[in-house]
Each structure stands twice: as C-alpha cells, then as structure tokens.
Amino acid sequence: MEGFYGKYGGAYVAETLIGNLEELEREYLKVKDDPDFRAELAKLLKDFVGRPTPLTPLHAISAEIGRPKIYLKREDLTHTGAHKINNALAQALLAKRMGKQRVVAETGAGQHGVAVATACSLLGLDCVIYMGAVDAERQAPNVQRMKLHGAELHLVHTGQKTLKDAISEAIRDWITNVNDTHYLLGSAVGPHPFPNIVHDFQSVIGLETREQILEQEGRLPDCIVACVGGGSNAIGMFSPFLEDEEVRLIGVQAAGKGFDTDKYAGPLIKGRPGIFQGAHTYILQNSDGQIGKSHSIAPGLDYPGVGPQHSYLKDIGRVEYTFIQDHEALHAFEYLCHKEGILPALESSHAVAYALQVAATMDEGQILVVNLSGRGDKDLSQAIEALARLKEKEASVS
C-alpha cells in the first residue's frame, strides 16, 4: 500500500504507534479484496444502512435556474443520516476481524460519533467517543443519540474544544490501549493507512453515483460538487471520476465569517503544507508554524487540516477548491428546504450554496451533481437562530 499522494501523506507519529499502524495496514490488506469480508459488508450496507442511496433530481430548482439538470446524491438518507456510516460500519467490521473488542473515535458534527456508536451497537463492540465541549453544546441531539446507543462519551475541554482537540485525545487513548482497541478515524486524514482506508470505504458514494447517472442520463455529469472539511465525503464521491477529465470536480471549504476576519477554516485556500496529526498536508498555521484556529458554522468543517489526497489533487489541479461563508451556507440551507423539501446539514449546505453559483454559469442540458453528505436535523436549532440573526442584520443594512 502506498502511503503518499505525491509529497503528501505519510505517517509522522510516535514510535509507539508504528506497530499499530503496520498491523492495521496488514489486516486491512487481508480483507480489502477478501470476498467474504466484501460480501458481509455489502449485505450490511444494503440491509442496515439502506444503500444504494437515491440520486434525486431537483426539478424546482433546476426549473428556476433554467440551465443544468441538478441532482443530489442522498447520503442524508442513510441510516444515521450521513455518509459517515459507510466508513464507520466497515471499520467496525474490520476491528472485529482484527480481534479488537474496543473502539475509540472522535467526532465534530456528531454524525461520525453516532455512526460509530451505531456500528458498535450492531456488532457488539465497546465504544468510546471523544467530542469537543463546544461541538457537544451545538450538537446536543447527536450527543443523546450516542449515549442511547451505549457509547461512553468524553467531552474535551482543551484547546478550541472542537474536532482537532477531540482527534488528539482519541489518539492519546489509542496509544494507551493499543492491544485491545481500534481507533476508528472518521475522515480521510491522519497517518497512513487511515486516508487510504477511509477513501476506499467511502468510494461507494461515487461508484453508485456513476452507475445511477449513466442509467438515468446515459452519460457522466459535467460537474460534481462536494463540501470538504477533512474530506471523506468528497474523496468518496470524487474518486471514481478522477480519470474522467471531462467531469469538473469542485471541493467547497468553509470560509466562516470571511478571510478578512480571524474566523475561517479552509486550509486548502488559506493554509500551507506542514505536518498535522500524523500526515503532511495543507494546514492553517501562524507565522511561527503553530496550528491556526479554525471557525465554521458547520462543526464538520471546523478543522484546520485536510486529507492528504485533497492536498495532492489541489496541487495537480484535478480538483478545484473554493469556499463558502457561513451566511451563504445558511441561505442555501433555507433555500433547499423551501424549494425541494430537503433539510441539508450545514456542512452539505456549503456544497449546495456553491453549486447554485456554478449552475448559473452552466448551459441548458448540462448535468450537475451535488453530494448531500448529511441531513440537517442536528443543525436545526442553531440554523434557525443564526438565520434570524442574519436576516435582522441584513434588514438593518438595507
């Protein structure tokens, strides 16, 4: 297994973790093409997760814009409500094959934590979740769901009390309990082999999309848009289309309150290469090389790093990376609810917001696919309050 994408990736970790990463790579390679493992996983994805998820045409929005046909890949319709369950269930199954009875994980928006707790409940594994205290406060429904599924939840009160700090604490737990514990990393980040594993388990999104669009339209889409925090939903969607140069791929990062403030994320836009949480990749950092603070209204995008494959795809120009601010995501959140009766996660709303901008520049008859990575139930209270403040502010300006 190759641990680098160009110069990005690798495993920059303490010596005590090398053995674990080597064991994980060895065991993953055993099951990667094992027909029995693949058959068991496929059955669970179909019968438990609800795959394949639909590819839904947006008739009202497409008619209003009057240009491309717009489709949503509906990862929000998976069991647990987000793409995270694909990787969580597969890695939990892998942990069981490895003889690990305990699973430790981190979560930001809570969707990965819920997915891991769900998978562990299904497979009879002990589950420990680390979550930043700030994220836990803004994602209270997911905190309750994790507890109901039997997870042991640890709130992290260090640093910014968000995803970055939760990952650091989860890694410390893993180092302490290496013999019986699998670290179930939720995004395509971290040291090798995690980015490869998450990429492989999430590629089901793009593989299904490719098959569905060929069946419905008889050709590939002209453009695909996905949000990028750590980047797992985007890399899962983009991966089966990377060789199709005619398909434009766009990753949308979070610009928070704007790059002219100190509250933004978007390491592929405002960061530079460095070592972060075990991998060489683009990261937000200050002039001294310290990890910079990040901000996004979407907890899953509130992260100063990104998966190393995205860094490579940025450098070679195969994927365009751009950004959306908090207020633009909120307007897209409301617009999709009003026009199509679909409640997107705030993370996914960033992709929807940029897709609407792209759609306005495309020709009639072209095809645009947006990956709707999760549903917005978890964000409802926060989004309604933020929309009210936003409209009050906009009214005072006009």
Side-chain angles (χ1 to χ4, degrees), residues 45-66:
L45 289 175
K46 176 176 180 290
D47 297 339
F48 186 72
V49 174
R51 306 206 72 88
T53 57
L55 187 66
T56 302
L58 299 186
H59 295 298
I61 291 178
S62 297
E64 182 166 288
I65 295 176

Side-chain angles (χ1 to χ4, degrees), residues 165-367:
D165 312 295
I167 290 178
S168 296
E169 288 302 316
I171 290 174
R172 288 191 187 95
D173 183 310
W174 189 33
I175 292 172
T176 307
N177 301 284
V178 290
N179 291 329
D180 68 344
T181 299
H182 171 64
Y183 176 32
L184 206 164
L185 190 50
S187 196
V189 301
H192 176 72
F194 283 112
N196 296 67
I197 291 174
V198 177
H199 162 279
D200 287 353
F201 287 147
Q202 290 292 7
S203 64
V204 65
I205 303 170
L207 290 169
E208 283 180 9
T209 301
R210 188 182 182 91
E211 184 177 335
Q212 290 167 324
I213 201 69
L214 286 172
E215 182 180 344
Q216 294 186 42
E217 294 288 348
R219 68 181 181 87
L220 297 179
D222 298 284
C223 183
I224 298 175
V225 182
C227 65
V228 179
S232 64
N233 91 87
I235 209 65
M237 170 59 96
F238 293 161
S239 178
F241 296 94
L242 290 176
E243 302 301 318
D244 302 299
E245 295 290 340
E246 72 275 22
V247 180
R248 184 182 177 191
L249 303 175
I250 302 176
V252 184
Q253 294 218 287
K257 295 185 182 301
F259 292 133
D260 58 344
T261 73
D262 62 352
K263 292 187 179 302
Y264 56 81
L268 287 168
I269 312 297
K270 295 295 288 184
R272 63 181 190 273
I275 304 296
F276 180 53
Q277 292 180 331
H280 185 226
T281 189
Y282 275 87
I283 51 178
L284 296 177
Q285 49 189 306
N286 63 24
S287 57
D288 295 325
Q290 299 298 311
I291 304 302
K293 293 182 178 179
S294 60
H295 165 83
S296 171
I297 195 170
L301 305 184
D302 188 355
Y303 185 61
V306 67
Q309 190 174 5
H310 285 293
S311 295
Y312 172 68
L313 292 171
K314 168 189 166 71
D315 279 8
I316 66 171
R318 177 60 188 98
V319 178
E320 303 167 38
Y321 293 95
T322 185
F323 57 89
I324 282 291
Q325 294 187 34
D326 287 349
H327 71 278
E328 296 171 302
L330 283 167
H331 282 309
F333 174 92
E334 185 178 49
Y335 183 68
L336 191 62
C337 290
H338 282 184
K339 285 292 180 181
E340 301 283 352
I342 296 172
L343 177 64
L346 284 174
E347 289 79 9
S348 313
S349 298
H350 285 69
V352 174
Y354 197 79
L356 294 173
Q357 295 180 18
V358 173
T361 69
M362 294 175 70
D363 296 329
E364 188 175 352
Q366 287 192 300
I367 300 168

Side-chain angles (χ1 to χ4, degrees), residues 129-133 136-137 143 147 153-158 169:
I129 305 288
Y130 288 87
M131 187 175 195
E137 185 175 346
V143 169
K147 290 180 176 176
L153 189 66
H154 292 270
L155 299 188
V156 178
H157 295 275
T158 56
E169 288 302 316

Side-chain angles (χ1 to χ4, degrees), residues 40-119:
E40 185 177 5
L41 177 59
K43 184 171 176 52
L44 287 172
L45 289 175
K46 176 176 180 290
D47 297 339
F48 186 72
V49 174
R51 306 206 72 88
T53 57
L55 187 66
T56 302
L58 299 186
H59 295 298
I61 291 178
S62 297
E64 182 166 288
I65 295 176
R67 289 173 185 271
K69 293 182 180 177
I70 306 174
Y71 288 86
L72 292 184
K73 179 58 174 169
R74 302 293 304 281
E75 293 302 291
D76 59 311
L77 295 182
T78 59
H79 179 47
T80 73
H83 72 290
K84 294 292 186 182
I85 189 66
N86 306 321
N87 169 64
L89 188 58
Q91 280 203 50
L93 200 60
L94 172 61
K96 201 161 184 176
R97 288 287 186 105
M98 293 168 65
K100 308 285 187 180
Q101 181 58 36
R102 182 175 182 267
V103 167
V104 61
E106 83 299 326
T107 192
Q111 293 298 78
H112 175 57
V114 169
V116 173
T118 301

